[in-house]
Amino acid sequence: DAGVIQSPRHEVTEMGQEVTLRCKPISGHNSLFWYRQTMMRGLELLIYFNNNVPIDDSGMPEDRFSAKMPNASFSTLKIQPSEPRDSAVYFCASSLFTGELFFGEGSRLTVL
Amino acid sequence: AQSVTQPDIHITVSEGASLELRCNYSYGATPYLFWYVQSPGQGLQLLLKYFSGDTLVQGIKGFEAEFKRSQSSFNLRKPSVHWSDAAEYFCAVGAETSYDKVIFGPGTSLSVIP
């Protein structure tokens, strides 16, 4: 079975550019999560969806960040404009049962 | 609001020795509790979970954890550590009433000495 698929795996961009991270959850899962991981702040929940509806986006750092889930098989996390402090590993995870998250391999973002 | 603390940032053990990683949570109701493991360059993988019932739960890779309500703890244990257990370990808390929201602790980095 295919797991959670994230793209790109690595992204290097310059400050001010738009960044779009993509996620394909496991088929049949009804919840999708975006996390950000840094050495300083650990693993932070940015936003999560249930049945394609955003439930809680209180973790989104600021208006430069936005996330969408247009259907059950696709989600995007967009940063516009990007800043060096956005450099991190961004994880997407999906689940069918509470707390049993399946993580993708992450997208490592470097903003110069 | 849910929160999780893991008092130990880094632990080093010898291969074959026993292991205990500490986790304390804060949540008003009965929480759902989890342990995840992250190998370098990888995403997190679920080791075990506690929802209700028996307070001692078994997981994959020989790990177990014990829920102690009186101490608000959910410590992870393994009787004999293998070199391949070196990784980052995260305790997490969730609640069904919050639409599956899961909050992770800061993690404990485990090093294993051959």
Side-chain angles (χ1 to χ4, degrees):
Chain A
D1 287 341
V4 175
I5 300 173
Q6 291 187 245
S7 64
R9 290 294 314 278
H10 301 274
E11 174 92 5
V12 180
T13 190
E14 293 188 346
M15 183 174 61
Q17 296 299 304
E18 178 179 293
V19 174
T20 299
L21 307 178
R22 298 173 176 81
C23 176
K24 177 178 170 58
I26 293 173
S27 177
H29 283 191
N30 60 359
S31 292
L32 183 139
F33 306 77
W34 282 100
Y35 286 90
R36 177 172 69 176
Q37 186 175 39
T38 61
M39 289 293 293
M40 291 298 296
R41 301 176 67 90
L43 201 59
E44 302 173 275
L45 176 62
L46 300 178
I47 185 171
Y48 69 103
F49 298 82
N50 185 264
N51 292 322
N52 311 337
V53 176
I55 301 300
D56 186 343
D57 65 354
S58 60
M60 296 286 263
E62 48 198 275
D63 291 345
R64 298 185 296 107
F65 285 70
S66 62
K68 294 182 178 179
M69 191 166 187
N71 56 63
S73 60
F74 184 67
S75 177
T76 60
L77 178 68
K78 186 174 294 186
I79 308 172
Q80 167 64 20
S82 58
E83 297 182 2
R85 60 193 168 120
D86 302 330
S87 297
V89 181
Y90 292 81
F91 286 102
C92 175
S94 68
S95 76
L96 180 59
F97 302 107
T98 299
E100 297 187 42
L101 274 60
F102 290 79
F103 281 78
E105 294 188 319
S107 294
R108 181 174 295 275
L109 173 65
T110 302
V111 183
L112 302 175
Chain B
Q2 305 140 264
S3 68
V4 180
T5 56
Q6 294 179 246
D8 304 306
I9 296 174
H10 185 259
I11 285 181
T12 300
V13 300
S14 297
E15 191 168 17
S18 64
L19 172 70
E20 182 168 26
L21 302 182
R22 297 183 291 165
C23 171
N24 294 96
Y25 68 90
S26 174
Y27 186 67
T30 299
Y32 292 179
L33 295 163
F34 311 88
W35 276 99
Y36 283 79
V37 60
Q38 183 181 29
S39 298
Q42 301 294 315
L44 282 70
Q45 179 187 19
L46 179 66
L47 280 177
L48 49 76
K49 62 189 178 189
Y50 172 79
F51 285 179
S52 65
D54 192 347
T55 57
L56 184 63
V57 294
Q58 303 297 320
I60 62 172
K61 305 185 181 187
F63 285 92
E64 67 178 25
E66 186 171 13
F67 171 58
K68 293 185 177 180
R69 184 187 302 276
S70 61
Q71 298 177 19
S72 296
S73 70
F74 189 57
N75 294 348
L76 181 71
R77 300 194 293 250
K78 186 169 185 178
S80 177
V81 171
H82 188 262
W83 64 266
S84 61
D85 294 324
E88 189 88 14
Y89 291 81
F90 294 89
C91 183
V93 60
E96 187 177 21
T97 55
S98 60
Y99 289 96
D100 301 336
K101 182 173 182 176
V102 178
I103 301 299
F104 286 83
T108 296
S109 177
L110 173 66
S111 296
V112 180
I113 301 173

